[in-house]
Amino acid sequence: MEHTGLYPKKQQIQELYDAYCPIFAEILGRIENRLRQSIRLSSLPTYKSRIKSFKSYYRKVLRQKAGEAETSKTLVTLTDMMGIRVICAFLEDIQLAVEQIKQQFDVKEVEYKGAEQNFREFGYESIHVLVAIPDDCRPKQCDLSLPENLVCEIQVRTILQDAWAEVEHELIYKTEFTPFDMPLRRKLASMNASLSLADIIFQEIRDYQNKLQGEVSARRASFYEKVDEFTYQGEVREKNVKNDSRHISRVSPYVHGTIDDLILEAIHAHNSGELDTALQIYSQILDSDPIPPDAVLAVIRKHRGMAYFAKGLYEESLEDFQQSVRYDPQGFRSYYYLGIVYSVMDKNEDAVTAFSRSLELNEYQSHAHYRRAVSYFKLGDDSKALADVTAAEQLGLEDADCAALHEKIVKKMGMGM
């Protein structure tokens, strides 16, 4: 039966839709390219672009009851006619991505999908950002005029939210019948809740890693400061190295916590100069039952070795770094720290061996080249010392001691500058 004006004629609508599709594809490509160039997150997002299928488009046009006269010549524009998904790894990335989208586009609307649902309902969560089409994303030559109200919908969600949306779309929106019985609806709600909880847990792990990395970076910086007390001759700049044995009255709140809790607390105490507390917690982890995996033992030995080094207990520090590389033979930093202790103890041949192993695992360590140069110089191997100090400078090490060592080697070899 032919439509008589109440509804748009399908054939005319499809012809108009098909004419616009190549234009929309070009616009989508340009907007996605801008997103790829402008969005900067800690984890690289992925992108999916799509033009609404004609079947879905026409069904929505019918629901809107658009008149035949209007739609036979002019395309009915929908807010989700063109869509791009920005799929992030973590929950924290979502708001960052939205803020960066706002900086790049003229945002018409931001909608938080799923935020209004209670825990008994199922459905995906997502942020939908409607943006106007920028002038530089419009086709340069176009026989058809673009509707003034044309927008692109940018959806921002996590990987798990996107996975749920894809499955839910197949189960709910692409079928004539959706689950009516309460047990099945509860199962769907449970699945969605599990994915939401997984997102939260992933974010908590991420937050923990970020906090731990901040503590580790601060601890590593303090270790290097201690190392820098030694000149390129290997002498101590400050002869009165203190053995900090002050009594720490603070009791760790994580004495009975998980290994993750203990590690974070130990490194925090380490960074705060509470070395006795740090050593106590490191040792507690090493003595725990069951015995931690080798990867954990390698990390704890490395950190405890740094704490011993900060206290001037070089024999204990040396043993911990030796154990660290035994548990993790690929740990280039532990080999580097091992070389540092050997050099401080004036065991330069052993130091060269340790630095060389570290550089075999990661050749792009400017400081390892410099420290090996120091040991070579003390051993009287000036040519190798010169090669290493030059490599350190080529790798970007701008350090007064490094420059001074370079100058001293050149003068000693009678090469001139």
Side-chain angles (χ1 to χ4, degrees):
M1 184 175 65
E2 185 178 354
H3 294 298
T4 59
L6 256 179
Y7 300 107
K9 292 180 180 179
K10 185 174 183 180
Q11 182 177 355
Q12 292 177 329
I13 295 299
Q14 181 151 18
E15 289 175 356
L16 195 56
Y17 168 90
D18 291 340
Y20 271 99
C21 273
I23 301 172
F24 292 158
E26 185 176 347
I27 293 173
L28 271 178
R30 292 180 179 179
I31 293 179
E32 181 179 330
N33 186 56
R34 180 185 279 202
L35 288 170
R36 288 180 181 273
Q37 292 178 349
S38 60
I39 292 184
R40 293 290 180 266
L41 304 175
S42 56
S43 298
L44 192 66
T46 56
Y47 300 86
K48 294 180 181 178
S49 299
R50 65 104 184 100
I51 299 172
K52 197 174 190 67
S53 69
F54 178 74
K55 183 178 179 181
S56 298
Y57 170 74
Y58 186 66
R59 186 184 300 131
K60 203 162 187 179
V61 168
L62 289 180
R63 285 202 302 267
Q64 291 183 357
K65 295 183 179 180
E68 179 181 358
E70 178 187 357
T71 57
S72 60
K73 297 180 180 179
T74 306
L75 188 76
V76 175
T77 55
L78 307 176
T79 57
D80 60 348
M81 193 77 191
M82 296 181 291
I84 299 176
R85 293 181 187 177
V86 181
I87 304 170
C88 308
F90 300 99
L91 289 170
E92 68 178 356
D93 295 329
I94 292 179
Q95 198 56 46
L96 289 174
V98 171
E99 292 303 318
Q100 292 174 28
I101 290 170
K102 289 180 179 178
Q103 294 172 6
Q104 289 292 321
F105 296 91
D106 176 14
V107 174
K108 298 301 183 182
E109 182 182 341
V110 179
E111 184 179 4
Y112 292 82
K113 295 279 189 179
E116 73 283 354
Q117 295 171 344
N118 62 44
F119 71 94
R120 293 186 180 87
E121 296 175 308
F122 58 89
Y124 71 92
E125 292 187 9
S126 180
I127 297 180
H128 294 196
V129 184
L130 300 183
V131 302
I133 310 302
D135 291 339
D136 61 352
C137 293
R138 294 171 177 264
K140 295 180 180 179
Q141 294 181 346
C142 182
D143 295 333
L144 297 172
S145 60
L146 293 178
E148 293 183 1
N149 60 342
L150 185 65
V151 295
C152 178
E153 181 183 70
I154 302 175
Q155 302 174 357
V156 188
R157 57 180 66 151
T158 65
I159 295 171
L160 294 182
Q161 288 171 350
D162 185 63
W164 172 256
E166 294 281 8
V167 174
E168 184 189 42
H169 190 69
E170 294 291 331
L171 291 176
I172 306 300
Y173 296 104
K174 280 193 174 183
T175 58
E176 184 176 356
F177 296 102
T178 58
F180 293 106
D181 63 302
M182 191 54 65
L184 194 53
R185 291 177 65 88
R186 287 198 183 103
K187 288 180 181 179
L188 287 170
S190 177
M191 288 168 57
N192 187 37
S194 296
L195 290 175
S196 298
L197 179 59
D199 256 338
I200 293 171
I201 293 173
F202 286 154
Q203 184 61 55
E204 288 177 349
I205 294 172
R206 185 68 162 183
D207 291 342
Y208 166 79
Q209 289 176 329
N210 289 338
K211 185 175 182 181
L212 181 60
Q213 187 58 43
E215 295 285 2
V216 168
S217 297
R219 188 264 314 131
R220 189 176 295 142
S222 67
F223 177 80
Y224 291 151
E225 287 177 5
K226 181 73 175 179
V227 172
D228 286 341
E229 292 178 359
F230 300 91
T231 66
Y232 56 81
Q233 290 93 350
E235 299 172 353
V236 181
R237 284 193 183 127
E238 297 180 8
K239 297 292 183 180
N240 57 336
V241 177
K242 296 181 180 180
N243 185 348
D244 182 6
S245 58
R246 56 182 172 166
H247 176 69
I248 303 298
S249 59
R250 182 175 67 85
V251 177
S252 168
Y254 296 118
V255 169
H256 302 292
T258 67
I259 287 181
D260 286 339
D261 292 333
L262 291 168
I263 291 174
L264 190 58
E265 175 66 10
I267 295 176
H268 180 71
H270 193 158
N271 291 339
S272 302
E274 301 173 5
L275 297 177
D276 289 338
T277 298
L279 287 169
Q280 176 187 358
I281 302 173
Y282 289 140
S283 299
Q284 179 182 342
I285 297 171
L286 293 172
D287 295 337
S288 60
D289 185 21
I291 299 174
D294 285 356
V296 175
L297 294 174
V299 170
I300 301 306
R301 286 282 190 174
K302 178 172 63 178
H303 288 295
R304 194 174 72 169
M306 289 183 175
Y308 278 134
F309 185 88
K311 288 174 66 70
L313 301 174
Y314 302 130
E315 290 290 349
E316 291 85 348
S317 177
L318 185 67
E319 181 182 356
D320 266 344
F321 291 140
Q322 288 172 333
Q323 291 298 319
S324 179
V325 297
R326 184 173 74 84
Y327 287 121
D328 179 16
Q330 302 302 310
F332 66 90
R333 283 199 178 94
S334 293
Y335 277 109
Y336 172 66
Y337 300 151
L338 189 59
I340 290 292
V341 180
Y342 277 133
S343 64
V344 169
M345 298 173 72
D346 208 26
K347 297 181 179 181
N348 289 290
E349 290 184 356
D350 292 329
V352 166
T353 300
F355 289 135
S356 296
R357 179 56 183 152
S358 181
L359 287 166
E360 287 175 8
L361 295 169
N362 181 359
E363 62 181 313
Y364 302 106
Q365 299 180 79
S366 59
H367 284 84
H369 278 288
Y370 164 65
R371 293 295 170 185
R372 190 171 66 174
V374 172
S375 293
Y376 275 136
F377 183 72
K378 292 179 68 176
L379 290 169
D381 197 335
D382 297 335
S383 60
K384 289 183 178 179
L386 181 60
D388 260 337
V389 77
T390 301
E393 292 171 336
Q394 290 176 343
L395 286 170
L397 181 61
E398 298 179 358
D399 181 86
D401 282 348
C402 184
L405 176 60
H406 194 160
E407 181 179 0
K408 188 163 188 175
I409 295 171
V410 169
K411 288 182 178 179
K412 182 180 177 183
M413 296 177 70
M415 297 171 62
M417 293 299 289

